[in-house]
Amino acid sequence: NITEFMAGGVDTTAVPLQFALYELARNPNLQEQVRVQVKAAWARAGLQGAPLLKGTIKEILRLHPVGITVQRYTVHDI
């Protein structure tokens, strides 16, 4: 079980981060805006003032959901 938890924990973090890097690389203007906002928020000792980062993460998770391998099978033929 511990192996499954470790593998599951890595996948649910690594895959969205990869898609985040991919989407930010495709949108350099947004990437720069997020970078500037994060640097400004970090200087104020926290990321609470970075709504663009939060919105970017939510949009990436909407476009590329984590649970894409969950499959359902019918019990009976329809």
Side-chain angles (χ1 to χ4, degrees):
N1 286 339
I2 198 71
T3 304
E4 293 297 323
F5 287 135
M6 293 295 290
V10 170
D11 287 347
T12 56
T13 303
V15 173
L17 284 175
Q18 289 174 346
F19 277 120
L21 293 173
Y22 170 73
E23 291 294 344
L24 288 171
R26 289 182 57 210
N27 300 290
N29 292 334
L30 176 65
Q31 180 183 13
E32 182 61 23
Q33 291 173 358
V34 170
R35 188 184 72 79
V36 167
Q37 193 177 80
V38 166
K39 282 182 72 172
W42 193 264
R44 294 188 304 268
L47 291 176
Q48 296 299 322
L52 188 57
L53 176 63
K54 184 176 181 178
T56 301
I57 292 169
K58 284 185 174 187
E59 183 66 7
I60 288 166
L61 289 172
R62 184 187 71 81
L63 291 172
H64 309 286
V66 177
I68 58 173
T69 60
V70 176
Q71 299 175 359
R72 295 182 180 171
Y73 299 98
T74 59
V75 179
H76 305 286
D77 288 340
I78 297 177

